[in-house]
Amino acid sequence: MKKILIITHQSDNPSIETVSKILHQEGVAVFRFDSDLYPSKISVSQFIDNGEIRTYIERDNERHLLDEFEAIWYRRFFVGKELDRDIPKEFRGPILEESKRVILGMLETSDAFKLDDYHNIRRCSDKHLQLKLAKQCGLRIPKTLVTNNKEDLRKFFADTPKGVITKMQSSFAIYEKNVENVVFTNTLEAEHLEDLDDLQISPMQFQEKINKKVELRVTIVGDQIVAYSIDSQKLVNAKDDWRKEGATLLNQWEPFELPEEINKKLLQLMDRLCLNYGAIDLILTPENEYVFLEINPVGEFFWLDKLSEGKISQALANLLQGKGKRRIKKL
């Protein structure tokens, strides 16, 4: 019987259960490694003897040899979140760092197929690299500036007559009184240029503002492409970033058929990045041009999976079993 290891955490969304259910129905055993329970409730032991490596994972008296897993699906990584809060601060940091290194070492030494390789995910999350490779693959990209220099920003703004938006390069939120305030994409206004002192210590990404006919979310698993569109321009608060009205627009996404030329370019980008999964954001302009914004190597898909009747989950289950195109990162 094939066995699949899923690296996630307890609060992950239902996509884990959906893919796991498909695998179970197809005769595949699934072991869920909730990383927030390591090291408090999950144990990992790795024996290295004369070049031979044996790694064991144990949870609730269920013990597995890592070599038995056909594939590993890396979803989320929150090591140590369940550690006892009474652990002194001076010890907590080193414990978390050592724990993280154990799990990363476990992943690095496994010969199983990985969806996707942890370090490659980190590399491919770099927005600079994404834009460079997307352009090389023939995709249109927005004119972009990443800077902490206020004079360069002012020049960029003056040279971009259709407008400028600002966005974060990483997932970013500000927490006030335990309330998460996500930093979305916003339009840069002329009056913002009058107070840029904080830019020196907080570099930001700026891009030309692209007129939108619709926004596209393209999910790629192996060589399977699932594309959906949303008319974000019908809501004032969603014009710059549809996520601001994500809940309102949740069930208004429509299946979208991309031109074959764009499909080929996106698959070429996946090949260049050596990614087996990617959630890609595009803009379709009123002139019917496609503009690449970014790719998230571990982006969410659960709401589109529901609309597509589980098409994305099935593609993930298939790829984990070796059905479909796999991209293997070479050392």
Side-chain angles (χ1 to χ4, degrees):
M1 174 183 289
K2 288 184 178 180
K3 296 171 67 175
I4 304 295
L5 176 65
I6 299 177
I7 307 290
T8 183
H9 62 90
Q10 293 179 94
S11 300
D12 205 346
N13 64 53
S15 59
I16 301 298
E17 285 80 8
T18 303
V19 175
S20 296
K21 183 178 179 180
I22 294 172
L23 290 168
H24 284 307
Q25 291 173 342
E26 298 181 1
V28 179
V30 176
F31 180 73
R32 176 169 173 156
F33 189 110
D34 285 315
S35 57
D36 51 328
L37 296 180
Y38 180 77
S40 55
K41 296 180 181 177
I42 296 178
S43 67
V44 174
S45 298
Q46 187 169 75
F47 298 86
I48 304 173
D49 184 10
N50 197 29
E52 180 184 352
I53 300 175
R54 289 176 292 114
T55 305
Y56 295 93
I57 305 169
E58 186 168 339
R59 175 180 179 180
D60 299 328
N61 296 319
E62 183 181 346
R63 187 173 174 90
H64 294 272
L65 178 64
L66 188 63
D67 286 346
E68 296 173 351
F69 291 104
E70 158 77 12
I72 299 173
W73 180 19
Y74 173 85
R75 263 282 300 176
R76 294 287 184 264
F77 193 55
F78 289 138
V79 165
K81 295 295 183 182
E82 290 290 314
L83 278 176
D84 191 330
R85 299 296 175 187
D86 293 332
I87 295 175
K89 184 178 180 180
E90 60 268 29
F91 297 118
R92 190 178 188 84
I95 289 172
L96 290 174
E97 184 60 29
E98 288 297 301
S99 299
K100 178 180 178 180
R101 287 174 182 263
V102 170
I103 303 308
L104 294 182
M106 177 185 81
L107 293 174
E108 281 294 299
T109 54
S110 170
D111 293 326
F113 167 73
K114 300 178 184 70
L115 188 96
D116 268 301
D117 176 81
Y118 175 85
H119 292 291
N120 196 44
I121 288 172
R122 301 278 74 79
R123 168 182 174 268
C124 294
S125 297
D126 185 282
K127 300 298 190 293
H128 310 248
L129 176 65
Q130 292 179 13
L131 292 172
K132 176 183 177 180
L133 294 183
K135 181 63 177 177
Q136 290 178 358
C137 292
L139 293 161
R140 178 185 165 186
I141 62 173
K143 185 169 70 171
T144 302
L145 169 69
V146 181
T147 187
N148 67 331
N149 185 303
K150 56 187 177 182
E151 295 308 319
D152 285 341
L153 174 56
R154 290 189 175 111
K155 185 176 187 306
F156 182 80
F157 186 85
D159 293 341
T160 313
K162 291 185 178 180
V164 174
I165 58 94
T166 180
K167 59 196 293 189
M168 305 305 298
Q169 296 185 79
S170 58
S171 298
F172 188 77
I174 297 173
Y175 292 86
E176 296 178 317
K177 297 181 179 179
N178 294 321
V179 176
E180 181 185 52
N181 298 292
V182 177
V183 178
F184 293 108
T185 299
N186 293 289
T187 297
L188 184 70
E189 305 291 354
E191 56 263 31
H192 296 150
L193 301 178
E194 299 173 6
D195 183 13
L196 294 176
D197 290 343
D198 290 340
L199 182 64
Q200 183 69 48
I201 60 170
S202 181
M204 294 190 69
Q205 178 175 238
F206 305 90
Q207 290 183 328
E208 63 175 311
K209 192 169 186 176
I210 306 293
N211 291 331
K212 303 172 183 177
K213 182 177 180 179
V214 293
E215 294 191 63
L216 303 172
R217 180 77 161 196
V218 183
T219 308
I220 299 181
V221 184
D223 57 3
Q224 300 299 300
I225 300 175
V226 180
Y228 273 78
S229 67
I230 190 69
D231 181 4
S232 59
Q233 302 308 286
K234 60 187 176 183
L235 296 177
V236 173
N237 199 39
K239 287 181 179 290
D240 287 339
D241 194 328
W242 63 263
R243 296 174 300 170
K244 293 180 181 179
E245 294 286 356
T248 303
L249 297 171
L250 192 63
N251 295 312
Q252 297 183 37
W253 291 79
E254 298 287 342
F256 190 91
E257 187 168 345
L258 288 165
E260 189 57 32
E261 178 188 6
I262 298 298
N263 284 335
K264 289 180 179 178
K265 291 176 180 178
L266 292 177
L267 289 174
Q268 183 183 352
L269 177 61
M270 295 290 286
D271 289 342
R272 291 288 301 275
L273 292 169
C274 199
L275 285 175
N276 292 283
Y277 174 89
I280 299 172
D281 292 325
L282 304 174
I283 289 175
L284 177 62
T285 72
E287 297 75 34
N288 291 321
E289 287 189 274
Y290 293 85
V291 183
F292 172 88
L293 297 181
E294 62 182 68
I295 178 171
N296 189 332
V298 287
E300 295 296 356
F301 64 89
F302 67 95
W303 84 99
L304 297 178
D305 196 47
K306 290 181 180 179
L307 296 176
S308 68
E309 298 182 340
K311 188 173 182 179
I312 300 171
S313 288
Q314 184 65 62
L316 285 163
N318 288 345
L319 197 60
L320 287 167
Q321 295 179 74
K323 304 172 185 176
K325 178 178 178 176
R326 285 179 168 182
R327 299 177 181 88
I328 308 298
K329 188 175 185 298
K330 297 179 181 179
L331 295 177

Tab-separated table of all heavy atoms in Angstrom, residues 17-63:
chain	number	residue	atom	x	y	z
A	17	GLU	N	-8.212	17.552	4.432
A	17	GLU	CA	-9.143	16.442	4.551
A	17	GLU	C	-9.666	15.995	3.192
A	17	GLU	O	-9.859	14.803	2.939
A	17	GLU	CB	-10.321	16.820	5.454
A	17	GLU	CG	-10.006	16.861	6.937
A	17	GLU	CD	-9.306	18.140	7.367
A	17	GLU	OE1	-9.195	19.066	6.536
A	17	GLU	OE2	-8.864	18.212	8.531
A	18	THR	N	-9.897	16.963	2.298
A	18	THR	CA	-10.426	16.625	0.974
A	18	THR	C	-9.450	15.763	0.195
A	18	THR	O	-9.826	14.728	-0.369
A	18	THR	CB	-10.737	17.912	0.181
A	18	THR	OG1	-11.649	18.722	0.923
A	18	THR	CG2	-11.366	17.573	-1.164
A	19	VAL	N	-8.170	16.186	0.146
A	19	VAL	CA	-7.166	15.406	-0.575
A	19	VAL	C	-6.946	14.058	0.110
A	19	VAL	O	-6.840	13.012	-0.557
A	19	VAL	CB	-5.840	16.185	-0.670
A	19	VAL	CG1	-4.750	15.325	-1.321
A	19	VAL	CG2	-6.034	17.477	-1.458
A	20	SER	N	-6.918	14.062	1.450
A	20	SER	CA	-6.716	12.810	2.190
A	20	SER	C	-7.841	11.818	1.915
A	20	SER	O	-7.603	10.615	1.756
A	20	SER	CB	-6.636	13.096	3.692
A	20	SER	OG	-5.513	13.900	3.994
A	21	LYS	N	-9.067	12.307	1.854
A	21	LYS	CA	-10.219	11.436	1.584
A	21	LYS	C	-10.099	10.783	0.216
A	21	LYS	O	-10.355	9.580	0.058
A	21	LYS	CB	-11.508	12.243	1.674
A	21	LYS	CG	-12.764	11.403	1.476
A	21	LYS	CD	-14.025	12.260	1.628
A	21	LYS	CE	-15.283	11.410	1.412
A	21	LYS	NZ	-16.518	12.234	1.546
A	22	ILE	N	-9.681	11.550	-0.782
A	22	ILE	CA	-9.498	10.992	-2.123
A	22	ILE	C	-8.434	9.903	-2.100
A	22	ILE	O	-8.608	8.820	-2.671
A	22	ILE	CB	-9.102	12.102	-3.122
A	22	ILE	CG1	-10.255	13.096	-3.302
A	22	ILE	CG2	-8.709	11.499	-4.471
A	22	ILE	CD1	-9.881	14.321	-4.109
A	23	LEU	N	-7.319	10.178	-1.409
A	23	LEU	CA	-6.238	9.191	-1.334
A	23	LEU	C	-6.704	7.925	-0.636
A	23	LEU	O	-6.415	6.802	-1.088
A	23	LEU	CB	-5.038	9.799	-0.608
A	23	LEU	CG	-4.285	10.900	-1.371
A	23	LEU	CD1	-3.304	11.620	-0.456
A	23	LEU	CD2	-3.552	10.313	-2.576
A	24	HIS	N	-7.439	8.080	0.470
A	24	HIS	CA	-7.962	6.908	1.188
A	24	HIS	C	-8.858	6.082	0.278
A	24	HIS	O	-8.781	4.836	0.254
A	24	HIS	CB	-8.730	7.344	2.431
A	24	HIS	CG	-7.857	7.774	3.575
A	24	HIS	ND1	-6.844	6.981	4.080
A	24	HIS	CD2	-7.849	8.913	4.307
A	24	HIS	CE1	-6.243	7.613	5.076
A	24	HIS	NE2	-6.826	8.791	5.229
A	25	GLN	N	-9.715	6.745	-0.475
A	25	GLN	CA	-10.643	6.054	-1.364
A	25	GLN	C	-9.917	5.308	-2.477
A	25	GLN	O	-10.435	4.331	-3.014
A	25	GLN	CB	-11.635	7.057	-1.960
A	25	GLN	CG	-12.625	7.614	-0.946
A	25	GLN	CD	-13.487	8.737	-1.519
A	25	GLN	OE1	-13.149	9.336	-2.542
A	25	GLN	NE2	-14.595	9.029	-0.860
A	26	GLU	N	-8.714	5.767	-2.788
A	26	GLU	CA	-7.936	5.123	-3.841
A	26	GLU	C	-6.892	4.160	-3.273
A	26	GLU	O	-5.955	3.762	-3.957
A	26	GLU	CB	-7.291	6.195	-4.728
A	26	GLU	CG	-8.351	7.052	-5.429
A	26	GLU	CD	-7.773	8.113	-6.352
A	26	GLU	OE1	-6.531	8.175	-6.474
A	26	GLU	OE2	-8.550	8.871	-6.954
A	27	GLY	N	-7.069	3.814	-1.989
A	27	GLY	CA	-6.233	2.794	-1.374
A	27	GLY	C	-4.869	3.262	-0.915
A	27	GLY	O	-3.945	2.450	-0.779
A	28	VAL	N	-4.729	4.550	-0.640
A	28	VAL	CA	-3.456	5.115	-0.202
A	28	VAL	C	-3.561	5.509	1.269
A	28	VAL	O	-4.537	6.135	1.687
A	28	VAL	CB	-3.079	6.361	-1.040
A	28	VAL	CG1	-1.768	6.960	-0.553
A	28	VAL	CG2	-2.997	5.995	-2.516
A	29	ALA	N	-2.561	5.141	2.056
A	29	ALA	CA	-2.523	5.509	3.469
A	29	ALA	C	-1.934	6.911	3.617
A	29	ALA	O	-0.972	7.261	2.925
A	29	ALA	CB	-1.695	4.499	4.262
A	30	VAL	N	-2.510	7.697	4.511
A	30	VAL	CA	-2.067	9.078	4.716
A	30	VAL	C	-1.694	9.279	6.180
A	30	VAL	O	-2.446	8.899	7.079
A	30	VAL	CB	-3.173	10.086	4.329
A	30	VAL	CG1	-2.728	11.511	4.634
A	30	VAL	CG2	-3.538	9.940	2.860
A	31	PHE	N	-0.512	9.874	6.401
A	31	PHE	CA	-0.116	10.244	7.755
A	31	PHE	C	0.014	11.753	7.801
A	31	PHE	O	0.771	12.349	7.042
A	31	PHE	CB	1.210	9.601	8.150
A	31	PHE	CG	1.658	9.955	9.544
A	31	PHE	CD1	1.028	9.405	10.643
A	31	PHE	CD2	2.695	10.853	9.750
A	31	PHE	CE1	1.429	9.736	11.942
A	31	PHE	CE2	3.108	11.187	11.025
A	31	PHE	CZ	2.459	10.625	12.125
A	32	ARG	N	-0.752	12.366	8.701
A	32	ARG	CA	-0.759	13.826	8.825
A	32	ARG	C	0.222	14.245	9.919
A	32	ARG	O	0.045	13.907	11.081
A	32	ARG	CB	-2.161	14.310	9.136
A	32	ARG	CG	-2.262	15.807	9.377
A	32	ARG	CD	-3.700	16.264	9.415
A	32	ARG	NE	-3.808	17.659	9.804
A	32	ARG	CZ	-4.829	18.460	9.493
A	32	ARG	NH1	-5.843	17.955	8.804
A	32	ARG	NH2	-4.849	19.718	9.882
A	33	PHE	N	1.239	15.010	9.500
A	33	PHE	CA	2.236	15.524	10.436
A	33	PHE	C	1.868	16.969	10.748
A	33	PHE	O	2.212	17.893	10.007
A	33	PHE	CB	3.629	15.441	9.798
A	33	PHE	CG	4.761	15.745	10.752
A	33	PHE	CD1	5.625	14.744	11.174
A	33	PHE	CD2	4.979	17.040	11.210
A	33	PHE	CE1	6.681	15.025	12.026
A	33	PHE	CE2	6.026	17.325	12.077
A	33	PHE	CZ	6.876	16.322	12.482
A	34	ASP	N	1.141	17.173	11.854
A	34	ASP	CA	0.802	18.532	12.282
A	34	ASP	C	2.020	19.140	12.954
A	34	ASP	O	2.321	18.846	14.120
A	34	ASP	CB	-0.391	18.506	13.241
A	34	ASP	CG	-1.699	18.242	12.522
A	34	ASP	OD1	-1.922	18.873	11.470
A	34	ASP	OD2	-2.504	17.418	13.000
A	35	SER	N	2.719	19.996	12.218
A	35	SER	CA	4.016	20.486	12.676
A	35	SER	C	3.932	21.309	13.960
A	35	SER	O	4.926	21.418	14.687
A	35	SER	CB	4.690	21.313	11.580
A	35	SER	OG	3.867	22.393	11.187
A	36	ASP	N	2.752	21.866	14.271
A	36	ASP	CA	2.623	22.625	15.519
A	36	ASP	C	2.668	21.711	16.739
A	36	ASP	O	2.871	22.172	17.861
A	36	ASP	CB	1.346	23.471	15.518
A	36	ASP	CG	0.105	22.679	15.157
A	36	ASP	OD1	0.204	21.729	14.368
A	36	ASP	OD2	-0.979	23.032	15.649
A	37	LEU	N	2.477	20.397	16.526
A	37	LEU	CA	2.546	19.431	17.620
A	37	LEU	C	3.959	18.884	17.827
A	37	LEU	O	4.174	18.062	18.725
A	37	LEU	CB	1.584	18.270	17.362
A	37	LEU	CG	0.091	18.617	17.332
A	37	LEU	CD1	-0.741	17.378	17.064
A	37	LEU	CD2	-0.336	19.273	18.644
A	38	TYR	N	4.899	19.317	16.993
A	38	TYR	CA	6.289	18.913	17.173
A	38	TYR	C	7.049	20.065	17.831
A	38	TYR	O	6.916	21.214	17.418
A	38	TYR	CB	6.948	18.567	15.829
A	38	TYR	CG	8.387	18.145	15.981
A	38	TYR	CD1	8.694	16.867	16.433
A	38	TYR	CD2	9.429	19.037	15.726
A	38	TYR	CE1	10.022	16.494	16.606
A	38	TYR	CE2	10.754	18.670	15.899
A	38	TYR	CZ	11.034	17.389	16.344
A	38	TYR	OH	12.345	17.005	16.531
A	39	PRO	N	7.822	19.803	18.880
A	39	PRO	CA	8.202	18.488	19.416
A	39	PRO	C	7.351	18.026	20.606
A	39	PRO	O	7.651	16.986	21.190
A	39	PRO	CB	9.640	18.737	19.876
A	39	PRO	CG	9.605	20.158	20.361
A	39	PRO	CD	8.653	20.890	19.439
A	40	SER	N	6.301	18.781	20.967
A	40	SER	CA	5.578	18.484	22.202
A	40	SER	C	4.836	17.147	22.177
A	40	SER	O	4.799	16.432	23.182
A	40	SER	CB	4.600	19.614	22.537
A	40	SER	OG	3.728	19.860	21.447
A	41	LYS	N	4.242	16.786	21.017
A	41	LYS	CA	3.416	15.573	20.978
A	41	LYS	C	3.766	14.636	19.828
A	41	LYS	O	3.125	13.599	19.667
A	41	LYS	CB	1.940	15.969	20.887
A	41	LYS	CG	1.455	16.727	22.123
A	41	LYS	CD	-0.009	17.115	22.007
A	41	LYS	CE	-0.452	17.891	23.242
A	41	LYS	NZ	-1.871	18.344	23.137
A	42	ILE	N	4.742	15.015	19.033
A	42	ILE	CA	5.239	14.154	17.966
A	42	ILE	C	6.736	13.999	18.167
A	42	ILE	O	7.428	14.963	18.507
A	42	ILE	CB	4.969	14.758	16.572
A	42	ILE	CG1	3.468	14.858	16.305
A	42	ILE	CG2	5.634	13.929	15.482
A	42	ILE	CD1	3.127	15.500	14.966
A	43	SER	N	7.230	12.790	17.968
A	43	SER	CA	8.672	12.569	18.084
A	43	SER	C	9.258	12.190	16.730
A	43	SER	O	8.600	11.549	15.905
A	43	SER	CB	8.983	11.478	19.115
A	43	SER	OG	8.518	10.222	18.667
A	44	VAL	N	10.485	12.629	16.511
A	44	VAL	CA	11.232	12.294	15.299
A	44	VAL	C	12.608	11.812	15.718
A	44	VAL	O	13.289	12.466	16.507
A	44	VAL	CB	11.369	13.511	14.360
A	44	VAL	CG1	12.271	13.166	13.174
A	44	VAL	CG2	10.009	13.977	13.872
A	45	SER	N	13.006	10.649	15.213
A	45	SER	CA	14.339	10.112	15.496
A	45	SER	C	15.011	9.772	14.179
A	45	SER	O	14.426	9.072	13.339
A	45	SER	CB	14.247	8.855	16.360
A	45	SER	OG	13.667	9.144	17.613
A	46	GLN	N	16.230	10.250	14.001
A	46	GLN	CA	16.979	9.957	12.786
A	46	GLN	C	18.300	9.296	13.163
A	46	GLN	O	19.107	9.869	13.895
A	46	GLN	CB	17.231	11.221	11.970
A	46	GLN	CG	17.855	10.929	10.610
A	46	GLN	CD	17.861	12.136	9.702
A	46	GLN	OE1	18.666	13.041	9.903
A	46	GLN	NE2	16.974	12.157	8.711
A	47	PHE	N	18.479	8.065	12.663
A	47	PHE	CA	19.706	7.303	12.904
A	47	PHE	C	20.580	7.395	11.657
A	47	PHE	O	20.134	7.057	10.559
A	47	PHE	CB	19.381	5.835	13.192
A	47	PHE	CG	18.540	5.623	14.414
A	47	PHE	CD1	17.148	5.683	14.350
A	47	PHE	CD2	19.123	5.357	15.648
A	47	PHE	CE1	16.368	5.479	15.474
A	47	PHE	CE2	18.355	5.159	16.782
A	47	PHE	CZ	16.966	5.221	16.695
A	48	ILE	N	21.805	7.858	11.836
A	48	ILE	CA	22.746	7.963	10.722
A	48	ILE	C	23.948	7.099	11.074
A	48	ILE	O	24.700	7.403	12.005
A	48	ILE	CB	23.177	9.421	10.489
A	48	ILE	CG1	21.942	10.305	10.272
A	48	ILE	CG2	24.138	9.517	9.302
A	48	ILE	CD1	22.263	11.783	10.195
A	49	ASP	N	24.135	6.013	10.342
A	49	ASP	CA	25.172	5.047	10.673
A	49	ASP	C	25.854	4.586	9.400
A	49	ASP	O	25.240	3.925	8.557
A	49	ASP	CB	24.555	3.860	11.411
A	49	ASP	CG	25.610	2.864	11.877
A	49	ASP	OD1	26.811	3.183	11.806
A	49	ASP	OD2	25.221	1.762	12.309
A	50	ASN	N	27.117	4.980	9.242
A	50	ASN	CA	27.935	4.546	8.108
A	50	ASN	C	27.254	4.860	6.767
A	50	ASN	O	27.253	4.052	5.839
A	50	ASN	CB	28.233	3.049	8.216
A	50	ASN	CG	29.387	2.628	7.317
A	50	ASN	OD1	30.282	3.425	7.031
A	50	ASN	ND2	29.348	1.383	6.847
A	51	GLY	N	26.639	6.045	6.692
A	51	GLY	CA	26.004	6.474	5.441
A	51	GLY	C	24.551	6.065	5.307
A	51	GLY	O	23.840	6.574	4.446
A	52	GLU	N	24.109	5.137	6.152
A	52	GLU	CA	22.706	4.707	6.103
A	52	GLU	C	21.882	5.606	7.027
A	52	GLU	O	22.271	5.876	8.164
A	52	GLU	CB	22.562	3.253	6.549
A	52	GLU	CG	21.128	2.771	6.518
A	52	GLU	CD	20.976	1.355	7.060
A	52	GLU	OE1	22.003	0.705	7.323
A	52	GLU	OE2	19.819	0.921	7.242
A	53	ILE	N	20.744	6.070	6.526
A	53	ILE	CA	19.883	6.960	7.298
A	53	ILE	C	18.511	6.320	7.479
A	53	ILE	O	17.876	5.900	6.513
A	53	ILE	CB	19.722	8.328	6.600
A	53	ILE	CG1	21.083	9.011	6.435
A	53	ILE	CG2	18.772	9.235	7.385
A	53	ILE	CD1	21.029	10.310	5.660
A	54	ARG	N	18.078	6.232	8.735
A	54	ARG	CA	16.729	5.746	9.049
A	54	ARG	C	16.047	6.793	9.925
A	54	ARG	O	16.574	7.169	10.976
A	54	ARG	CB	16.777	4.401	9.773
A	54	ARG	CG	17.202	3.230	8.900
A	54	ARG	CD	17.317	1.940	9.692
A	54	ARG	NE	18.432	2.002	10.645
A	54	ARG	CZ	18.297	1.990	11.954
A	54	ARG	NH1	17.091	1.950	12.502
A	54	ARG	NH2	19.372	2.024	12.731
A	55	THR	N	14.901	7.251	9.470
A	55	THR	CA	14.164	8.286	10.195
A	55	THR	C	12.797	7.748	10.589
A	55	THR	O	12.075	7.187	9.745
A	55	THR	CB	13.992	9.549	9.334
A	55	THR	OG1	15.274	9.997	8.884
A	55	THR	CG2	13.306	10.647	10.128
A	56	TYR	N	12.458	7.910	11.860
A	56	TYR	CA	11.162	7.444	12.372
A	56	TYR	C	10.348	8.626	12.887
A	56	TYR	O	10.862	9.531	13.548
A	56	TYR	CB	11.358	6.430	13.495
A	56	TYR	CG	12.011	5.154	13.056
A	56	TYR	CD1	13.402	4.995	13.134
A	56	TYR	CD2	11.250	4.092	12.561
A	56	TYR	CE1	14.016	3.825	12.719
A	56	TYR	CE2	11.848	2.905	12.144
A	56	TYR	CZ	13.235	2.779	12.224
A	56	TYR	OH	13.831	1.615	11.808
A	57	ILE	N	9.053	8.595	12.590
A	57	ILE	CA	8.103	9.592	13.077
A	57	ILE	C	7.075	8.855	13.929
A	57	ILE	O	6.547	7.821	13.518
A	57	ILE	CB	7.368	10.302	11.917
A	57	ILE	CG1	8.371	10.908	10.936
A	57	ILE	CG2	6.416	11.367	12.451
A	57	ILE	CD1	7.734	11.389	9.654
A	58	GLU	N	6.803	9.392	15.118
A	58	GLU	CA	5.837	8.717	15.997
A	58	GLU	C	4.849	9.728	16.572
A	58	GLU	O	5.220	10.803	17.047
A	58	GLU	CB	6.556	7.995	17.134
A	58	GLU	CG	5.617	7.148	17.990
A	58	GLU	CD	6.361	6.214	18.923
A	58	GLU	OE1	7.555	5.920	18.650
A	58	GLU	OE2	5.758	5.780	19.917
A	59	ARG	N	3.574	9.352	16.520
A	59	ARG	CA	2.503	10.171	17.084
A	59	ARG	C	1.406	9.245	17.592
A	59	ARG	O	0.936	8.362	16.858
A	59	ARG	CB	1.937	11.128	16.027
A	59	ARG	CG	0.737	11.928	16.501
A	59	ARG	CD	0.225	12.856	15.404
A	59	ARG	NE	-0.935	13.590	15.852
A	59	ARG	CZ	-1.598	14.484	15.107
A	59	ARG	NH1	-1.179	14.741	13.868
A	59	ARG	NH2	-2.656	15.114	15.579
A	60	ASP	N	0.997	9.442	18.833
A	60	ASP	CA	-0.081	8.626	19.435
A	60	ASP	C	0.195	7.137	19.263
A	60	ASP	O	-0.676	6.364	18.860
A	60	ASP	CB	-1.433	8.987	18.810
A	60	ASP	CG	-1.810	10.442	19.037
A	60	ASP	OD1	-1.433	10.990	20.091
A	60	ASP	OD2	-2.462	11.030	18.156
A	61	ASN	N	1.456	6.753	19.514
A	61	ASN	CA	1.885	5.353	19.436
A	61	ASN	C	1.819	4.786	18.018
A	61	ASN	O	1.900	3.575	17.822
A	61	ASN	CB	1.040	4.473	20.373
A	61	ASN	CG	1.239	4.847	21.831
A	61	ASN	OD1	2.357	5.113	22.269
A	61	ASN	ND2	0.144	4.888	22.589
A	62	GLU	N	1.684	5.656	17.033
A	62	GLU	CA	1.731	5.236	15.631
A	62	GLU	C	3.100	5.625	15.088
A	62	GLU	O	3.442	6.795	15.029
A	62	GLU	CB	0.615	5.922	14.832
A	62	GLU	CG	0.557	5.488	13.371
A	62	GLU	CD	-0.554	6.204	12.598
A	62	GLU	OE1	-1.432	6.820	13.251
A	62	GLU	OE2	-0.521	6.167	11.363
A	63	ARG	N	3.881	4.627	14.694
A	63	ARG	CA	5.279	4.860	14.307
A	63	ARG	C	5.468	4.540	12.823
A	63	ARG	O	4.997	3.514	12.333
A	63	ARG	CB	6.193	3.991	15.162
A	63	ARG	CG	7.707	4.253	15.001
A	63	ARG	CD	8.451	3.432	16.030
A	63	ARG	NE	9.892	3.473	15.898
A	63	ARG	CZ	10.687	4.359	16.488
A	63	ARG	NH1	10.148	5.296	17.257
A	63	ARG	NH2	11.994	4.308	16.350
